[in-house]
Amino acid sequence: MDRRQFLKNSLATAGGALLASRGVAGAVSPNQEQIPGGISAAEIASARFPSGFLWGMATASYQVEGAWNLDGKGESIWDRFSHTVGKVKGGATGDVACDQYHLYPQDIALMKSLNLKSYRFSISWPRIQPAGTGAVNQKGLDHYSRLADALLAAGIRPFCTLYHWDLPQALEDRGGWPNRDLAGFFADYAGILAKHLGDRITVWAPFNMPWTFTYFGYGIGIHPPCKAGGYGEFLKAAHTVNLAQGESFRAIKAASSQATVGSAYGMAPAYPKTDSEADRAAVARYNAMNNDYFLRTAIYGEYPKAFAGETPFELMGFKPGDEKIMKVPLDWIGFHYYTRRIVSDAGDSAASNGQATFGTEIENDQSAGRDPYTRFHAEMPTEGPLTDAGLEVWPRGVYDLVMQITREYNRPIIEITESGCSYLDTPYEKENGRVPDTRRIDFFRPHLAELARAIKDGANVRAYHAWSLLDNFEWADGYSQRYGLTYVDFRDQKRTVKDSGLWYGRVAAANELNL
Ligand code: IFM
């Protein structure tokens, strides 16, 4: 796997945990090939979820809304990126996407028919503040106000992510996330949302996958704004986001007494390549950098020990007092699970090919894979089957991750904010147009059984959001990946619930898996 491919695959993950691996434990489901490390068929059959468990699905504004320039919306960095020739596979854009801006009543009816109780969506910042600061676009607010009302009328909890990567281009023009002024701008935006929507939306996550958008956008430049600024720019951007997380927490709470604020971090459990002390220490650094970098700073107001040497505070632009700004008692912890990592120590040697030596997730190419700060080497193993997006299916990882967070953060309330897989199944005419995506059911069933096992073992998990409600714009991959439990025909916007969506709907009604 080359560097680009590895990084692409890294989109759905970020980080790891020092955890012992578990042996092969038998078949995963009656109609599924055995997944190494999988849970047994008997455990799947007996898995139960508590009554009141919040079965949900997730999307993000740029990936589904379309209406990119309607009703006063400003340009986002993803508009700019997708409108630039050569950036997105197939020249795809999110200009129309799933047109959820117009079709949300239909999508909400669909979710209701699948017995869903939570919908995690994101708000497009440039729809609310076209220039990123100052004047509020009332039409943008009205849209999300109608969306929240329609969800509540359908008995579905609105879970709002404030930022799922579509930064107003105007703010990028002012330096983007490395500019610490953005922390204050973001808090203003958060306060506006909480003031106008906080009587109906009570569950807020400031950022989706902060490691990914800061690292991809400012460290290595494979996502907009395409700045390959190296480790320094990444750390600066990440520091502003940590400040913004704290500032927005307080702004939301100040504007809405009912608000609860948590997170939507990308995480991946990490396992040491060998039992050596060096590899175990590398796993700890991976975990600190890729899983804990935004969580620990919020809960404790301090950066985790992600670095082989001293924490590079100067490089981050850290100022005295920042620890107080970053520290906020999150009400619950939300994270995604897609796949895992095997981590080893990268040693002392600098990159030998003369290229920049930065990077926190490192591909198999040893020569390019050293960085002077975290010094670990992370690989995605291929022991389990791969999805069509090339991610290893490893259900056991969700158990390990949930139990780790449960241990390390004193049994917090947990929400799984995303989990899912891309398979390219399409409607089959000979069977009335149904979408027989058996592999997706075979993905979800053991993952959910592992989650039920974690709950049985004491984890306080209250929600699971499958990614995604709809096939949608998969960032630089355009429409070439399909993560939806509902098939979308992008020619006419027709939605067809896949077999996996129908199955998930039955699971949501029954709180069990062998259906
Ligand atoms: O589509 C993305 C989503 O935006 C963030 N988490 C991973 C998903 C699949 O790659």
Side-chain angles (χ1 to χ4, degrees), residues 11-12 63 164-165 208-209 336 338 418 467 474-475 483:
L11 174 55
Q63 294 182 273
H164 198 127
W165 306 356
N208 178 74
M209 297 170 78
H336 314 342
Y338 284 89
E418 286 182 25
W467 184 269
E474 178 56 19
W475 306 113
Y483 276 90

Side-chain angles (χ1 to χ4, degrees), residues 420-435:
C421 48
S422 171
Y423 290 117
L424 300 176
D425 308 280
T426 53
Y428 189 46
E429 208 178 74
K430 287 190 186 141
E431 293 189 31
N432 287 331
R434 65 181 263 255
V435 184

Side-chain angles (χ1 to χ4, degrees), residues 274-318:
T274 72
D275 209 28
S276 70
E277 209 177 297
D279 284 355
R280 288 184 163 272
V283 166
R285 294 197 297 281
Y286 180 94
N287 188 43
M289 171 51 71
N290 292 69
N291 290 338
D292 227 11
Y293 203 70
F294 300 86
L295 178 55
R296 194 176 175 85
T297 46
I299 305 282
Y300 296 108
E302 67 184 25
Y303 278 103
K305 296 195 182 344
F307 308 95
E310 293 298 307
T311 302
F313 287 113
E314 216 172 298
L315 209 57
M316 296 172 178
F318 193 98

Side-chain angles (χ1 to χ4, degrees), residues 48-330:
R48 295 288 179 276
F49 285 81
S51 78
F53 188 77
L54 293 165
W55 294 97
M57 291 190 190
T59 62
S61 47
Y62 189 75
Q63 294 182 273
V64 299
E65 280 181 355
W68 78 279
N69 60 357
L70 279 193
D71 292 343
K73 176 182 166 292
E75 186 190 22
S76 80
I77 56 173
W78 272 94
D79 294 316
R80 178 72 61 94
F81 180 79
S82 71
H83 294 160
T84 306
V85 174
K87 295 295 187 192
V88 178
K89 197 165 186 176
T93 73
D95 291 3
V96 178
C98 307
D99 198 20
Q100 193 180 75
Y101 188 74
H102 296 110
L103 300 181
Y104 71 89
Q106 167 182 337
D107 289 342
I108 291 172
L110 191 155
M111 284 190 274
K112 188 176 181 190
S113 77
L114 298 180
N115 308 307
L116 299 196
K117 291 287 176 280
S118 178
Y119 179 45
R120 177 177 166 250
F121 61 95
S122 76
I123 289 186
S124 161
W125 188 352
R127 217 181 271 294
I128 302 298
Q129 287 180 293
T133 57
V136 173
N137 176 32
Q138 189 59 42
K139 285 188 173 169
L141 270 181
D142 291 346
H143 168 71
Y144 294 109
S145 178
R146 287 191 295 267
L147 180 76
D149 286 342
L151 284 166
L152 290 170
I156 299 171
R157 178 190 71 159
F159 172 139
C160 175
T161 307
L162 279 75
Y163 183 83
H164 198 127
W165 306 356
D166 39 1
L167 184 70
Q169 181 63 43
L171 289 183
E172 184 48 46
D173 296 343
R174 295 167 76 167
W177 286 109
N179 173 3
R180 62 185 274 149
D181 290 348
L182 261 72
F185 300 154
F186 186 75
D188 293 344
Y189 160 62
I192 292 165
L193 296 185
K195 178 174 168 209
H196 292 278
L197 304 170
D199 53 336
R200 285 151 295 151
I201 299 178
T202 58
V203 182
W204 305 89
F207 291 105
N208 178 74
M209 297 170 78
W211 182 91
T212 305
F213 76 79
T214 50
Y215 186 64
F216 283 18
Y218 300 93
I220 55 174
I222 62 168
H223 275 184
C226 302
K227 298 207 169 126
Y231 222 82
E233 287 304 288
F234 156 59
L235 288 179
K236 268 196 203 75
H239 187 55
T240 307
V241 168
N242 272 317
L243 297 170
Q245 185 172 238
E247 298 280 26
S248 62
F249 178 98
R250 285 180 283 274
I252 293 168
K253 294 276 185 173
S256 164
S257 58
Q258 305 173 58
T260 68
V261 183
S263 62
Y265 302 127
M267 291 195 186
Y271 306 84
K273 188 163 191 168
T274 72
D275 209 28
S276 70
E277 209 177 297
D279 284 355
R280 288 184 163 272
V283 166
R285 294 197 297 281
Y286 180 94
N287 188 43
M289 171 51 71
N290 292 69
N291 290 338
D292 227 11
Y293 203 70
F294 300 86
L295 178 55
R296 194 176 175 85
T297 46
I299 305 282
Y300 296 108
E302 67 184 25
Y303 278 103
K305 296 195 182 344
F307 308 95
E310 293 298 307
T311 302
F313 287 113
E314 216 172 298
L315 209 57
M316 296 172 178
F318 193 98
K319 293 190 179 163
D322 282 357
E323 63 283 359
K324 291 204 187 75
I325 299 175
M326 299 189 304
K327 188 173 176 187
V328 279
L330 297 178

